[in-house]
Amino acid sequence: MLIGVPAEIKTLESRVGMTPAAVREAVAHGHQVVVQKDGGAKIGLTDDLYISAGAKIAETAEEIFASADMIVKVKEPQPQECAMLREGQILFTYLHLAPDPVQAQGLLDSGCVAIAYETVTSARGGLPLLAPMSEVAGRMSIQAGAHCLEMRQGGEGILLGGVPGVPAANVVVLGGGVVGVNAARMALGMGANVTVLDRSIPRLAELDGLYGPQLKTIYSNADTVEEYVTNADLVIGAVLIPGAAAPKLVNTGHLKKMKQGSVVVDVAIDQGGCFETSRATTHLEPTFEVEGVVHYCVANMPGGVARTSTFALNNATMPFTLALADKGYKQALADDPYLLEGLNVHHGNLTNEAVARDLGKSFVSAQSAIAA
């Protein structure tokens, strides 16, 4: 199979779909890989490294999209990329289609086979291709939040961990999944007062067992969300429903009760965000204010630490990339029900039920799609 790796074009996005090590593995399996010129240069992955691994270098993304059997990316295809996709071409990347009807329609119109990292599952019920970036985003959310609390950034001027004789900040994490636990871990390490809200009693018990009384664990409902959010200095939105739009847990009424200069970081923004007032921002202009509350809603947070993120992502995606290339997508999906969950678009049909529901479109099961 000819695997194509175009450079990412989203604002300040320097991650790359395959590392030289991943290329070397694909070539060893008998495949060809073409990488766009300087696609990994900003994170130290030079064209020479890719050539040494066995890749060919293409000058433009157009060359790659025109020739490759499978496109491997990081971020969702931008409109100009959707326009280059071909009938039957495999696209393997993050998609986050539920809040993005324009992208969804572009993929449907292209006739491609789009497999989303974020809906591939595991035998344990996890999301193995989302988890590495969730770990990065969870840890970054505390760094970003601490920075936004500084006066110069519009924050209330509070140091996250405090100092002797002065209290630390109150950090509230909405969601106890991968993002949430990584955010909580970082905030605890910086000395903040940390509370995690979640609707899963077993998950709260697990977190209590891991961190003890140092971490407060609270069952999430409308009352507790309002109580803890309105008294927080920093709120991390870390909720996720796989494939579906994120629930809006915090509304304008909550913001009006929060302190001036408090901060919310919406890590769920890729799925539409869990704050009613959220809108996607970029690393160039990461924040905005609503009701005196600073919002950080960067839609590709891990892109800010692109080298770490690229290697972490490739560690997880490489076995699936090789399976798709070795077997062809139909056999790979038929053999692996967890990879099958990643199929979102197939020859003009939506094949993820949650995505179809949120977009108000018809749905064809993934099993039916690949069997047709």
Side-chain angles (χ1 to χ4, degrees):
M1 183 177 285
L2 177 56
I3 304 169
V5 185
E8 297 294 323
I9 59 175
K10 195 162 187 173
T11 304
L12 290 183
E13 180 56 76
S14 300
R15 287 175 287 179
V16 63
M18 293 179 72
T19 62
V23 169
R24 191 179 301 278
E25 291 288 331
V27 171
H29 279 239
H31 306 294
Q32 295 176 288
V33 183
V34 57
V35 177
Q36 188 173 345
K37 181 178 174 61
D38 294 331
K42 290 182 180 177
I43 57 172
L45 302 180
T46 64
D47 291 345
D48 286 343
L49 289 174
Y50 280 107
I51 292 169
S52 296
K56 294 182 179 179
I57 303 298
E59 289 289 331
T60 66
E62 285 80 2
E63 295 175 55
I64 293 173
F65 278 88
S67 61
D69 303 304
M70 176 166 63
I71 299 293
V72 178
K73 282 177 40 64
V74 178
K75 288 305 294 177
E76 70 279 357
Q78 302 303 293
Q80 60 267 48
E81 294 175 309
C82 287
M84 291 188 284
L85 287 164
R86 309 191 315 271
E87 178 79 26
Q89 191 172 40
I90 304 165
L91 173 66
F92 194 34
T93 189
Y94 287 116
L95 294 177
H96 300 292
L97 290 178
D100 193 349
V102 173
Q103 184 205 167
Q105 192 60 53
L107 296 180
L108 291 169
D109 291 344
S110 76
C112 76
V113 176
I115 302 167
Y117 294 159
E118 75 273 8
T119 61
V120 173
T121 59
S122 71
R124 296 184 176 183
L127 300 170
L129 305 191
L130 185 62
M133 297 304 92
S134 295
E135 290 168 350
V136 171
R139 296 180 185 207
M140 285 189 72
S141 70
I142 300 302
Q143 291 183 189
H147 183 58
C148 291
L149 282 168
E150 296 175 13
M151 297 292 293
R152 180 67 179 83
Q153 311 307 318
E156 61 180 296
I158 187 170
L159 183 64
L160 205 65
V163 292
V166 182
N170 293 319
V171 176
V172 170
V173 182
L174 301 175
V178 178
V179 170
V181 72
N182 278 274
R185 176 182 170 184
M186 289 293 284
L188 287 170
M190 294 176 73
N193 302 312
V194 186
T195 303
V196 173
L197 279 69
D198 198 280
R199 295 179 68 91
S200 169
I201 295 294
R203 183 56 172 165
L204 294 175
E206 183 180 0
L207 292 175
D208 183 72
L210 286 170
Y211 296 102
Q214 188 180 12
L215 176 67
K216 299 179 182 67
T217 55
I218 301 294
Y219 184 79
S220 179
N221 57 39
D223 284 348
T224 55
V225 168
E226 179 171 13
E227 177 184 353
Y228 283 89
V229 164
T230 55
N231 287 292
D233 299 295
L234 171 60
V235 181
I236 307 298
V239 297
L240 173 71
I241 301 174
K248 305 296 184 184
L249 299 184
V250 177
N251 58 40
T252 306
H254 295 131
L255 297 185
K256 290 179 178 178
K257 297 178 182 179
M258 294 177 73
K259 290 177 281 188
Q260 291 288 303
S262 53
V263 175
V264 297
V265 178
D266 199 340
V267 187
I269 193 63
D270 274 328
Q271 294 295 137
C274 61
F275 300 99
E276 181 183 61
T277 46
S278 289
R279 56 176 171 80
T281 61
T282 69
H283 288 288
L284 280 178
E285 297 183 23
T287 63
F288 60 92
E289 287 189 22
V290 179
E291 300 292 345
V293 176
V294 178
H295 289 55
Y296 182 99
C297 303
V298 174
N300 59 329
M301 285 178 65
V305 287
R307 185 175 173 90
T308 295
S309 297
T310 292
F311 282 92
L313 180 60
N314 270 252
N315 289 343
T317 58
M318 190 180 350
F320 296 96
T321 301
L322 292 176
L324 290 166
D326 289 347
K327 300 177 180 181
Y329 83 87
K330 283 192 176 183
Q331 192 62 51
L333 297 181
D335 289 350
D336 187 344
Y338 306 111
L339 180 57
L340 182 63
E341 293 288 335
L343 186 64
N344 277 216
V345 177
H346 184 271
H347 290 282
N349 294 304
L350 285 173
T351 54
N352 181 288
E353 188 172 8
V355 168
R357 181 182 64 246
D358 285 343
L359 292 174
K361 291 183 177 292
S362 59
F363 159 75
V364 175
S365 74
Q367 293 91 338
S368 299
I370 64 169

PDB file of all heavy atoms in Angstrom, residues 2 46 61 97 169 181 214 238 251 281 301-302 328 351 357:
ATOM      1  N   LEU A   2       0.436   2.282  -0.673  1.00  0.00           N
ATOM      2  CA  LEU A   2       1.129   3.569  -0.656  1.00  0.00           C
ATOM      3  C   LEU A   2       0.481   4.453   0.406  1.00  0.00           C
ATOM      4  O   LEU A   2      -0.689   4.815   0.294  1.00  0.00           O
ATOM      5  CB  LEU A   2       1.058   4.249  -2.025  1.00  0.00           C
ATOM      6  CG  LEU A   2       1.688   5.641  -2.128  1.00  0.00           C
ATOM      7  CD1 LEU A   2       3.145   5.622  -1.688  1.00  0.00           C
ATOM      8  CD2 LEU A   2       1.555   6.194  -3.549  1.00  0.00           C
ATOM      9  N   THR A  46      13.572  15.671  10.259  1.00  0.00           N
ATOM     10  CA  THR A  46      13.979  16.232   8.983  1.00  0.00           C
ATOM     11  C   THR A  46      13.682  15.277   7.834  1.00  0.00           C
ATOM     12  O   THR A  46      13.477  14.066   8.031  1.00  0.00           O
ATOM     13  CB  THR A  46      15.489  16.532   8.993  1.00  0.00           C
ATOM     14  OG1 THR A  46      16.194  15.279   9.140  1.00  0.00           O
ATOM     15  CG2 THR A  46      15.852  17.463  10.139  1.00  0.00           C
ATOM     16  N   ALA A  61       1.187  18.732  -0.863  1.00  0.00           N
ATOM     17  CA  ALA A  61       0.122  17.851  -0.381  1.00  0.00           C
ATOM     18  C   ALA A  61      -0.694  17.307  -1.544  1.00  0.00           C
ATOM     19  O   ALA A  61      -1.176  16.163  -1.492  1.00  0.00           O
ATOM     20  CB  ALA A  61      -0.782  18.626   0.582  1.00  0.00           C
ATOM     21  N   LEU A  97     -16.210  14.725  14.327  1.00  0.00           N
ATOM     22  CA  LEU A  97     -17.224  15.160  13.366  1.00  0.00           C
ATOM     23  C   LEU A  97     -18.482  15.737  14.004  1.00  0.00           C
ATOM     24  O   LEU A  97     -19.159  16.561  13.384  1.00  0.00           O
ATOM     25  CB  LEU A  97     -17.627  13.977  12.465  1.00  0.00           C
ATOM     26  CG  LEU A  97     -16.579  13.492  11.465  1.00  0.00           C
ATOM     27  CD1 LEU A  97     -17.121  12.292  10.694  1.00  0.00           C
ATOM     28  CD2 LEU A  97     -16.197  14.600  10.512  1.00  0.00           C
ATOM     29  N   ALA A 169      -4.846  28.068  44.955  1.00  0.00           N
ATOM     30  CA  ALA A 169      -6.051  28.200  44.137  1.00  0.00           C
ATOM     31  C   ALA A 169      -6.935  26.966  44.264  1.00  0.00           C
ATOM     32  O   ALA A 169      -6.468  25.866  44.553  1.00  0.00           O
ATOM     33  CB  ALA A 169      -5.658  28.407  42.673  1.00  0.00           C
ATOM     34  N   VAL A 181      -7.893  12.997  35.083  1.00  0.00           N
ATOM     35  CA  VAL A 181      -6.919  12.495  36.055  1.00  0.00           C
ATOM     36  C   VAL A 181      -5.540  13.098  35.803  1.00  0.00           C
ATOM     37  O   VAL A 181      -4.791  13.380  36.761  1.00  0.00           O
ATOM     38  CB  VAL A 181      -6.871  10.950  36.047  1.00  0.00           C
ATOM     39  CG1 VAL A 181      -6.193  10.405  34.797  1.00  0.00           C
ATOM     40  CG2 VAL A 181      -6.164  10.423  37.294  1.00  0.00           C
ATOM     41  N   GLN A 214      -5.972  13.879  49.685  1.00  0.00           N
ATOM     42  CA  GLN A 214      -5.375  15.029  49.004  1.00  0.00           C
ATOM     43  C   GLN A 214      -6.263  15.504  47.855  1.00  0.00           C
ATOM     44  O   GLN A 214      -6.300  16.697  47.533  1.00  0.00           O
ATOM     45  CB  GLN A 214      -3.991  14.639  48.471  1.00  0.00           C
ATOM     46  CG  GLN A 214      -3.186  15.808  47.899  1.00  0.00           C
ATOM     47  CD  GLN A 214      -1.829  15.362  47.387  1.00  0.00           C
ATOM     48  OE1 GLN A 214      -1.550  14.174  47.253  1.00  0.00           O
ATOM     49  NE2 GLN A 214      -0.978  16.327  47.086  1.00  0.00           N
ATOM     50  N   ALA A 238     -13.370  18.478  31.204  1.00  0.00           N
ATOM     51  CA  ALA A 238     -12.716  17.245  30.751  1.00  0.00           C
ATOM     52  C   ALA A 238     -13.727  16.133  30.518  1.00  0.00           C
ATOM     53  O   ALA A 238     -13.421  14.961  30.706  1.00  0.00           O
ATOM     54  CB  ALA A 238     -11.680  16.803  31.789  1.00  0.00           C
ATOM     55  N   ASN A 251     -23.087  26.938  32.321  1.00  0.00           N
ATOM     56  CA  ASN A 251     -23.789  27.936  31.509  1.00  0.00           C
ATOM     57  C   ASN A 251     -23.437  29.356  31.937  1.00  0.00           C
ATOM     58  O   ASN A 251     -22.665  29.574  32.876  1.00  0.00           O
ATOM     59  CB  ASN A 251     -25.301  27.701  31.554  1.00  0.00           C
ATOM     60  CG  ASN A 251     -25.856  27.740  32.976  1.00  0.00           C
ATOM     61  OD1 ASN A 251     -25.449  28.565  33.785  1.00  0.00           O
ATOM     62  ND2 ASN A 251     -26.776  26.836  33.280  1.00  0.00           N
ATOM     63  N   THR A 281     -10.666  28.306  19.851  1.00  0.00           N
ATOM     64  CA  THR A 281      -9.623  29.307  19.648  1.00  0.00           C
ATOM     65  C   THR A 281      -8.360  28.611  19.133  1.00  0.00           C
ATOM     66  O   THR A 281      -8.331  27.393  18.983  1.00  0.00           O
ATOM     67  CB  THR A 281      -9.316  30.065  20.949  1.00  0.00           C
ATOM     68  OG1 THR A 281      -8.849  29.126  21.946  1.00  0.00           O
ATOM     69  CG2 THR A 281     -10.538  30.792  21.467  1.00  0.00           C
ATOM     70  N   MET A 301      -4.781  21.630  21.541  1.00  0.00           N
ATOM     71  CA  MET A 301      -3.837  21.902  22.630  1.00  0.00           C
ATOM     72  C   MET A 301      -2.538  21.109  22.512  1.00  0.00           C
ATOM     73  O   MET A 301      -1.451  21.675  22.656  1.00  0.00           O
ATOM     74  CB  MET A 301      -4.501  21.630  23.987  1.00  0.00           C
ATOM     75  CG  MET A 301      -5.489  22.695  24.414  1.00  0.00           C
ATOM     76  SD  MET A 301      -6.262  22.285  25.993  1.00  0.00           S
ATOM     77  CE  MET A 301      -4.832  22.340  27.082  1.00  0.00           C
ATOM     78  N   PRO A 302      -2.582  19.798  22.250  1.00  0.00           N
ATOM     79  CA  PRO A 302      -1.323  19.043  22.187  1.00  0.00           C
ATOM     80  C   PRO A 302      -0.381  19.522  21.092  1.00  0.00           C
ATOM     81  O   PRO A 302       0.818  19.232  21.153  1.00  0.00           O
ATOM     82  CB  PRO A 302      -1.787  17.600  21.931  1.00  0.00           C
ATOM     83  CG  PRO A 302      -3.169  17.553  22.500  1.00  0.00           C
ATOM     84  CD  PRO A 302      -3.747  18.903  22.177  1.00  0.00           C
ATOM     85  N   GLY A 328      -5.560  -4.361   4.197  1.00  0.00           N
ATOM     86  CA  GLY A 328      -6.617  -3.606   3.532  1.00  0.00           C
ATOM     87  C   GLY A 328      -7.672  -3.263   4.573  1.00  0.00           C
ATOM     88  O   GLY A 328      -7.852  -3.996   5.553  1.00  0.00           O
ATOM     89  N   THR A 351     -21.179   6.221   9.539  1.00  0.00           N
ATOM     90  CA  THR A 351     -21.203   4.891  10.134  1.00  0.00           C
ATOM     91  C   THR A 351     -20.964   4.909  11.641  1.00  0.00           C
ATOM     92  O   THR A 351     -20.712   3.869  12.242  1.00  0.00           O
ATOM     93  CB  THR A 351     -20.142   3.993   9.454  1.00  0.00           C
ATOM     94  OG1 THR A 351     -18.868   4.643   9.508  1.00  0.00           O
ATOM     95  CG2 THR A 351     -20.509   3.720   8.004  1.00  0.00           C
ATOM     96  N   ARG A 357     -26.368  11.028  14.895  1.00  0.00           N
ATOM     97  CA  ARG A 357     -27.436  11.608  15.715  1.00  0.00           C
ATOM     98  C   ARG A 357     -27.202  13.091  15.967  1.00  0.00           C
ATOM     99  O   ARG A 357     -28.107  13.916  15.818  1.00  0.00           O
ATOM    100  CB  ARG A 357     -27.520  10.862  17.051  1.00  0.00           C
ATOM    101  CG  ARG A 357     -28.629  11.375  17.967  1.00  0.00           C
ATOM    102  CD  ARG A 357     -28.644  10.627  19.290  1.00  0.00           C
ATOM    103  NE  ARG A 357     -27.417  10.844  20.056  1.00  0.00           N
ATOM    104  CZ  ARG A 357     -26.531   9.897  20.324  1.00  0.00           C
ATOM    105  NH1 ARG A 357     -26.710   8.662  19.892  1.00  0.00           N
ATOM    106  NH2 ARG A 357     -25.451  10.170  21.033  1.00  0.00           N
TER     107      ARG A 357
END
